[in-house]
Amino acid sequence: FSSSGYRVSSNGNAAKFQPPPKPIIVDKQKQKEEKRFLSPEFIPPRGRKDPLKFYIERKDMIRRRKVFNIPEFYVGSILAVTTADPYASNKASRFVGICIQRGGRGLGATFVLRNVIEDQGVEICYELYSPRIQAIEVLKLEKRLDDNLMYLRDALPEYSTFDVNMKPVTHLDHEEIPVNKLQVRMKPKPWSKRWERPKYNIKGIKFELPEEKMKEAQKWSQPWLEFDMLREYDTSKIEEKIWREVNEELKK
Amino acid sequence: MMPIWTKSGKKHAVTLLKVQDCHVLKYISKEESGGKTSKLLVGGKNTSPFYKTESAMEIFKAAGVPRKQKVTTFNVTEDALIKPGTPLYAAHFRPGQYVDVTAKTIGKGFQGVMKRWGFKGQPASHGQTKTHRRPGAISTNKAAKVYRGKKMPGKMGNIYRTSFGLKVWRINTKHDIIYVNGSVPGHTNCLVKVKDSRLPTYKDCNKNPPFPTFFADGDEKLPEDLYDEEIFQFTDPSVTY
């Protein structure tokens, strides 16, 4: 009769020896490196310009980013921007809205925020590197099905209204950015642009148009465009190089 | 072209000009040239010495300098003469100065009168027969001739034009880049001639210019970037009112 293999637990029942659970080591450094985000305004456009010009512009952009934090955000995230305004009462004005478009490259990069305030749709185009911007907060970080949400102008106003005093939604570092697969319902036609046409390639609208209209819109499709080799602009290698350069400079 | 912000928060568009291998090539005295002042020949970008006759290469050989793509003349006073063969740098100009920039405009080819001279043309409908972009009448009855210099269709662009009174905002001494306010004639990467402004409003603008020019091997050690006083530095915190 040996009792080495048996332990008496607090309940009094004989329980087998359970080894302590192994500690889960979460290597935060590795996880942060895996997540690579390069802001789209760093990628130089295709053209005949001297790469030295983009290098110098990037140095200026990094200098601004060291002093002022420009967070990571995508088209479809909800931001709050405070700018210095000489004519406002507090000398600062705050605007909350959904980012519908990110345009421009280099120091002139812009983003457009849209909101509906007291039944009036308002869009403001801010420059990312303008010195008048005092703070950019991301209230909700998410992506949408499209890169350009200009169709929200012709969508029902409920899809563009956001609470001005909404609380920021926390987003953990290691989680992937959620993609909001919302399909938006539109106001009756006429729209500002014919969004059903294939050139806009919109996935985020729930088209309630009759079948013939959708078929007629496909007449303007250009299926040869995706095979056009002269239009290809592979940015993967350029992005990697620039990402490494930008990260090194920011760490200094 | 790039945006630049001032300390008050205003945005200005700026053109970047790179000073690429500029050397002084030759000195022509007042009597030789027959003008009011003596001239200095300055050459621009380096190119291959082949595909050119020996006689054309004489100037470059005398100065001891590789062949340049463009050679221009500057009218200089006697006290501002520079020895042929000296390199010229972007630090020759200082922020706060005003310059004139000359270049060949973008060539548009043979163009009609509406694009070339801005004529209004004729209406698109209401009975117009085959006449929508034509010049219309070219002279009067009494004149009985067409005057010289009448605006008519022809080759447009590819001629030298100057933008006057452009402010220099910033100079990068490491890469020899001049940041000049506004736009400049010519296409991207074209050769451009930069002179001190001849406008009377900017006659007394330059307080202490490097005279006769900025010498790299001299005693003056400049920082990498020279800014105008009004520029917002990116190392400063955001602008407040």
Side-chain angles (χ1 to χ4, degrees):
Chain A
F1 179 79
S2 77
S3 58
S4 54
Y6 287 85
R7 265 202 185 186
V8 182
S9 64
S10 48
N11 293 354
N13 307 332
K16 225 186 163 177
F17 169 68
Q18 300 276 347
K22 281 198 182 139
I24 304 166
I25 306 165
V26 172
D27 200 353
K28 284 196 179 162
Q29 279 253 315
K30 266 195 192 165
Q31 279 183 345
K32 271 191 187 159
E33 271 174 57
E34 277 164 16
K35 184 185 178 200
R36 285 174 170 217
F37 171 71
L38 183 67
S39 213
E41 73 264 8
F42 279 104
I43 303 163
R46 223 157 56 132
R48 295 194 321 136
K49 287 209 173 136
D50 202 358
L52 177 67
K53 183 242 180 187
F54 300 118
Y55 172 69
I56 287 178
E57 238 185 327
R58 253 177 278 141
K59 274 202 325 206
D60 274 340
M61 285 151 77
I62 291 169
R63 237 177 274 163
R64 172 73 179 156
R65 275 182 185 247
K66 280 192 188 164
V67 177
F68 174 74
N69 171 44
I70 297 175
E72 168 194 350
F73 66 98
Y74 304 88
V75 170
S77 357
I78 303 172
L79 309 185
V81 174
T82 23
T83 37
D85 196 352
Y87 310 111
S89 47
N90 275 344
K91 303 292 176 203
S93 63
R94 184 171 190 257
F95 185 73
V96 173
I98 185 170
C99 174
I100 53 175
Q101 180 183 282
R102 281 189 82 159
R105 295 282 177 269
L107 278 175
T110 55
F111 62 103
V112 182
L113 293 185
R114 180 184 165 83
N115 203 342
V116 171
I117 300 176
E118 291 180 19
D119 296 329
Q120 173 63 50
V122 178
E123 285 182 16
I124 304 187
C125 177
Y126 290 103
E127 285 155 6
L128 272 175
Y129 294 94
S130 167
R132 284 172 64 178
I133 295 187
Q134 273 155 3
I136 305 180
E137 311 151 44
V138 175
L139 299 176
K140 190 172 187 193
L141 179 67
E142 66 174 7
K143 277 194 205 184
R144 295 269 217 155
L145 291 170
D146 304 303
D147 259 338
N148 203 313
L149 298 178
M150 283 294 179
Y151 56 82
L152 289 180
R153 293 170 178 170
D154 298 314
L156 297 171
E158 62 196 40
Y159 294 102
S160 313
T161 29
F162 298 97
D163 182 22
V164 185
N165 305 317
M166 82 190 259
K167 299 276 166 58
V169 170
T170 46
H171 174 257
L172 301 163
D173 261 345
H174 58 97
E175 268 179 12
E176 282 208 20
I177 305 121
V179 179
N180 190 353
K181 300 203 175 162
L182 175 66
Q183 298 248 299
V184 145
R185 288 184 59 216
M186 305 290 274
K187 289 197 252 189
K189 268 203 163 196
W191 297 330
S192 60
K193 293 247 180 319
R194 293 175 221 247
W195 303 112
E196 73 274 11
R197 293 227 174 142
K199 96 170 198 200
Y200 297 108
N201 194 18
I202 292 183
K203 312 242 165 68
I205 298 184
K206 186 172 184 170
F207 290 110
E208 281 151 7
L209 299 170
E211 275 283 328
E212 312 103 42
K213 298 269 177 177
M214 298 303 290
K215 265 196 170 174
E216 209 199 315
Q218 291 303 316
K219 273 204 294 187
W220 280 268
S221 69
Q222 296 171 313
W224 57 86
L225 269 189
E226 63 169 309
F227 303 108
D228 195 341
M229 293 175 80
L230 284 181
R231 275 175 209 259
E232 281 170 12
Y233 184 38
D234 188 22
T235 50
S236 47
K237 290 187 190 150
I238 306 171
E239 268 192 53
E240 265 201 52
K241 235 169 60 172
I242 295 178
W243 188 84
R244 248 177 275 142
E245 186 192 315
V246 164
N247 261 44
E248 265 182 55
E249 286 289 318
L250 280 176
K251 276 178 196 160
K252 281 188 195 167
Chain B
M1 286 198 72
M2 222 164 77
I4 241 179
W5 286 273
T6 53
K7 293 208 163 117
S8 56
K10 273 204 174 147
K11 179 167 117 161
H12 298 267
V14 143
T15 312
L16 311 197
L17 306 174
K18 180 163 165 74
V19 177
Q20 203 167 12
D21 320 311
C22 286
H23 284 94
V24 176
L25 295 179
K26 195 171 165 185
Y27 157 67
I28 305 175
S29 60
K30 209 194 317 189
E31 296 76 37
E32 239 183 281
S33 67
K36 288 187 196 170
T37 49
S38 41
K39 296 187 206 287
L40 277 181
L41 284 179
V42 171
K45 201 162 123 182
N46 285 348
T47 42
S48 84
F50 314 112
Y51 311 110
K52 267 285 174 182
T53 48
E54 282 293 316
S55 51
M57 293 290 288
E58 268 168 34
I59 301 180
F60 303 110
K61 277 192 194 155
V65 137
R67 185 199 143 196
K68 304 288 182 186
Q69 189 170 336
K70 184 108 196 84
V71 176
T72 47
T73 44
F74 287 89
N75 292 340
V76 229
T77 43
E78 295 294 326
D79 52 353
L81 295 177
I82 310 173
K83 186 174 169 183
T86 41
L88 300 173
Y89 299 98
H92 177 99
F93 296 101
R94 288 296 148 92
Q97 207 182 339
Y98 286 82
V99 285
D100 297 339
V101 177
T102 313
K104 266 198 170 175
T105 48
I106 301 178
K108 314 257 177 189
F110 196 102
Q111 287 299 336
V113 106
M114 276 178 86
K115 192 183 195 69
R116 195 177 183 211
W117 300 112
F119 283 16
K120 276 181 79 175
Q122 288 82 26
S125 70
H126 288 302
Q128 313 293 321
T129 38
K130 307 200 288 185
T131 314
H132 306 289
R133 301 183 65 96
R134 297 180 78 191
I138 52 175
S139 190
T140 48
N141 182 21
K142 201 170 177 193
K145 68 168 187 174
V146 176
Y147 294 114
R148 189 194 314 267
K150 175 86 196 70
K151 293 182 180 175
M152 284 187 162
K155 289 256 159 60
M156 180 181 166
N158 203 25
I159 47 172
Y160 285 104
R161 282 286 186 255
T162 314
S163 307
F164 294 102
L166 303 179
K167 181 167 173 177
V168 171
W169 284 107
R170 176 177 161 181
I171 305 253
N172 187 320
T173 35
K174 186 173 165 202
H175 297 282
D176 277 332
I177 299 181
I178 309 174
Y179 289 59
V180 140
N181 190 32
S183 60
V184 139
H187 55 87
T188 36
N189 303 335
C190 81
L191 289 173
V192 127
K193 176 178 175 183
V194 185
K195 270 173 81 163
D196 294 324
S197 191
R198 69 153 213 236
L199 294 180
T201 31
Y202 303 129
K203 232 197 304 190
D204 313 308
C205 245
N206 213 3
K207 274 123 210 179
N208 287 324
F211 199 80
T213 188
F214 170 75
F215 296 104
D217 48 354
D219 298 325
E220 215 184 337
K221 290 289 172 209
L222 288 177
E224 189 188 326
D225 271 304
L226 291 164
Y227 298 93
D228 186 48
E229 309 146 339
E230 285 175 48
I231 287 189
F232 168 78
Q233 305 281 0
F234 285 119
T235 39
D236 297 337
S238 306
V239 158
T240 41
Y241 292 108

